[in-house]
Amino acid sequence: MTTYTHSIDGTGYRFEGLRVLLARASPARAGDVLAGLAADSARERVAAQIALSEVPLREFLQQPLIAYEHDEVTRLIIDGHDTVAFAPVSHLTVGGFRDWLLSYAADATSLAQLAPGLTPEMVAAVSKIMRIQDLVIVAAKCRVVTRFRNTIGLAGCLSTRLQPNHPTDDRKGIAASILDGLLLGSGDAVIGINPATDSLQAIIPLLQLVDDVRERYRIPTQSCVLTHVTQQIQAIERGAPVDLVFQSIAGTQQANSSFGIDLALLAEARAAALSLQRGTRGDNVMYFETGQGSALSANAHHGVDQQTCEARAYAVARAYQPLLVNSVVGFIGPEYLHNGKEIQRAGLEDHFCGKLLGLPMGCDVCYTNHAEADQDDMDTLLTLLGVAGCTYIMGVPGADDIMLNYQSSSFHDALYLRQVLGLKPAPEFQQWLQHMGIFDSAARVHRLGLDHTLLGLTGPVGA
């Protein structure tokens, strides 16, 4: 095991191995303190960051943080590494890599070509020595485009997941939220429901509900019911209209086992979704959610800091060519990200690392009600992510999810970002919004084009 050292004002600091070095170099956050991995002081953190900046990128291939023979995520990372793609930066240290990423040479084309040659540990390492504006400018240069029924991730676009959750899975309540979101230009990434009840009896009617809405109004988008992947496979076997297959994932084999999944199961799910051939623009059929702290909460982090574990989850996602990936950054709670500042930093790190690894990254700009955060913190993160080229955000009625009981972003938040940054929805969805008379040619809310008898319900929705 390599020992890394650095001295500040005559005080020497020693870091035994890459795991310890990465953890001590992480910007302060509650989860690493909880795990006993954080630096003891700001001075130790700076010493670790300087030492980390001098580590050659090649060392992350030579010193796996979690043993190859014990962890299938490590095997996925090492076995899938593209040495040809890595070659242009293989001679660099972490600090040199940062300098290159900030240079004009690192443009959208070169970053896309490099992505298969980067490991999660490399991108996590470089993120730890970057300031906020570094994370923003590099992520903004990354361009990741995916397709199912529309095209996600194009330059100048910001998409949204329309999240019409209901505490009792009430059909009219969900339909009302869908209508509300569509009338405000939300839903081009996906219309995705978190069901209150995780059973096939609940899931299949919800899939049919959203598919009926989409078919009735010929909406160029995709649907998803965010339940366990095994339930979605069974729904496919029963003939349900499944567009995207969803699963929460983590960065270690043990953490994924706590979710009841492994890599083979994800491959089975992807094959099942592809067999339906429901995409019209492309075949990106997977939707993954992640979040810092999930491996630690399952006691499955193996002494690896929570941000590096999070980056390893992106290697899992990358293997299945997803349409969408997002970090539910503040959802896990203050034990892991204590306040607004920690949530903001984590959200930008996650977005940066995911985009650099070649993923279509979105972010659930969110917090729980017991965190030391408020809506002003979320507005700041929302704006920074918009500038950084975030692929999509959540659209929740009033920004308050009444089923999951947390604070997220609203349909109006997406309108704000689109207006202030000159962004538009996915092109196929924008054309539909204009055709329906909802948006004008400048992508502004124009007039209401949909009626209130959604799915043939008698009277106004919710009556």
Side-chain angles (χ1 to χ4, degrees):
M1 180 183 296
T2 303
T3 298
Y4 304 90
T5 62
H6 187 78
S7 296
I8 297 179
D9 294 337
T11 301
Y13 295 92
R14 295 170 57 87
F15 309 99
E16 299 296 334
L18 282 175
R19 270 189 301 189
V20 172
L21 181 62
L22 286 165
R24 301 295 192 272
S26 283
R29 65 206 57 202
D32 290 337
V33 174
L34 180 66
L37 301 175
D40 290 333
S41 66
R43 185 170 293 221
E44 184 186 19
R45 183 174 299 110
V46 170
Q49 289 171 339
I50 294 171
L52 180 60
S53 73
E54 298 168 351
V55 174
L57 292 179
R58 290 188 299 269
E59 286 197 23
F60 295 99
L61 296 169
Q62 298 161 358
Q63 299 185 52
L65 302 187
I66 303 173
Y68 180 93
E69 59 271 20
H70 296 151
D71 187 272
E72 67 174 357
V73 177
T74 297
R75 294 194 290 275
L76 176 69
I77 292 167
I78 299 300
D79 295 346
H81 182 249
D82 188 328
T83 56
V84 174
F86 180 54
V89 299
S90 62
H91 62 289
L92 295 176
T93 63
V94 173
F97 185 39
R98 172 189 175 273
D99 292 343
W100 181 83
L101 288 171
L102 294 171
S103 74
Y104 293 118
D107 58 16
T109 299
S110 60
L111 289 170
Q113 293 170 344
L114 178 63
L118 297 176
T119 70
E121 292 83 0
M122 293 175 192
V123 300
V126 76
S127 76
K128 295 176 191 297
I129 63 168
M130 299 178 89
R131 58 193 289 190
I132 290 293
Q133 67 175 246
D134 297 345
L135 298 173
V136 169
I137 195 170
V138 175
K141 294 192 287 186
C142 296
R143 185 60 51 203
V144 182
V145 178
T146 55
R147 296 175 175 87
F148 188 74
R149 286 200 190 90
N150 56 22
T151 307
I152 305 295
L154 293 171
C157 292
L158 172 73
S159 295
T160 58
R161 169 188 161 190
L162 201 171
Q163 185 169 310
N165 298 343
H166 192 278
T168 63
D169 290 337
D170 179 77
R171 183 172 178 267
K172 289 186 177 182
I174 291 171
S177 293
I178 293 173
L179 179 61
D180 187 24
L182 292 172
L183 291 175
L184 290 168
S186 186
D188 53 334
V190 63
I191 301 175
I193 304 170
N194 296 92
T197 304
D198 189 21
S199 68
L200 284 177
Q201 291 73 21
I203 295 162
I204 291 177
L206 294 180
L207 287 165
Q208 293 169 335
L209 167 66
V210 184
D211 199 55
D212 287 346
V213 173
R214 186 188 61 77
E215 286 284 354
R216 176 175 177 180
Y217 292 108
R218 301 184 183 277
I219 308 171
T221 190
Q222 35 282 328
S223 62
C224 185
V225 173
L226 285 71
T227 185
H228 194 269
V229 65
T230 53
Q231 297 285 65
Q232 293 163 89
I233 292 172
Q234 291 183 57
I236 290 171
E237 292 171 347
R238 296 192 183 190
V242 175
D243 288 344
L244 305 185
V245 171
F246 166 82
Q247 182 57 47
S248 294
I249 56 173
T252 73
Q253 179 177 337
Q254 187 180 352
N256 283 324
S257 294
S258 76
F259 290 154
I261 63 167
D262 58 21
L263 301 184
L265 180 60
L266 295 178
E268 178 187 349
R270 180 172 182 267
L274 286 171
S275 73
L276 299 180
Q277 299 183 330
R278 291 176 59 82
T280 57
R281 295 277 181 173
D283 61 0
N284 299 117
V285 296
M286 302 299 284
Y287 173 18
F288 296 117
E289 283 190 347
T290 67
Q292 289 192 29
S294 59
L296 174 57
S297 69
N299 195 28
H301 60 294
H302 300 278
V304 178
D305 69 272
Q306 67 179 37
Q307 190 253 333
T308 302
C309 279
E310 171 72 2
R312 285 169 56 93
Y314 303 152
V316 176
R318 182 169 62 175
Y320 303 97
Q321 302 172 32
L323 181 78
L324 306 167
V325 180
N326 72 265
S327 165
V328 192
V329 65
F331 185 73
I332 198 166
E335 300 85 357
Y336 305 93
L337 297 170
H338 177 69
N339 55 28
K341 184 173 183 177
E342 290 188 9
I343 293 171
Q344 289 168 1
R345 173 79 196 191
L348 292 166
E349 287 170 349
D350 295 350
H351 178 250
F352 164 87
C353 289
K355 290 289 283 292
L356 205 53
L357 288 168
L359 290 175
M361 284 301 295
C363 187
D364 191 342
V365 181
C366 64
Y367 64 102
T368 56
N369 290 316
H370 60 310
E372 292 294 325
D374 58 27
Q375 204 60 46
D376 286 343
D377 295 318
M378 297 305 104
D379 282 352
T380 300
L381 177 55
L382 178 75
T383 304
L384 287 167
L385 285 166
V387 176
C390 189
T391 300
Y392 71 105
I393 61 170
M394 306 299 118
V396 178
D400 183 4
D401 192 304
I402 60 173
M403 196 280 283
L404 293 174
N405 291 311
Y406 78 116
Q407 308 305 309
S408 185
S409 51
S410 72
F411 307 136
H412 297 83
D413 290 329
L415 294 176
Y416 150 71
L417 271 189
R418 287 170 176 166
Q419 181 177 343
V420 75
L421 297 176
L423 303 173
K424 297 180 180 180
E428 301 89 345
F429 194 75
Q430 183 184 352
Q431 291 172 10
W432 176 82
L433 290 169
Q434 291 176 225
H435 173 73
M436 297 298 293
I438 298 170
F439 272 17
D440 63 17
S441 59
R444 299 174 299 191
V445 175
H446 183 51
R447 63 183 175 85
L448 305 186
L450 297 181
D451 63 67
H452 284 233
T453 56
L454 194 59
L455 295 178
L457 296 171
T458 58
V461 170

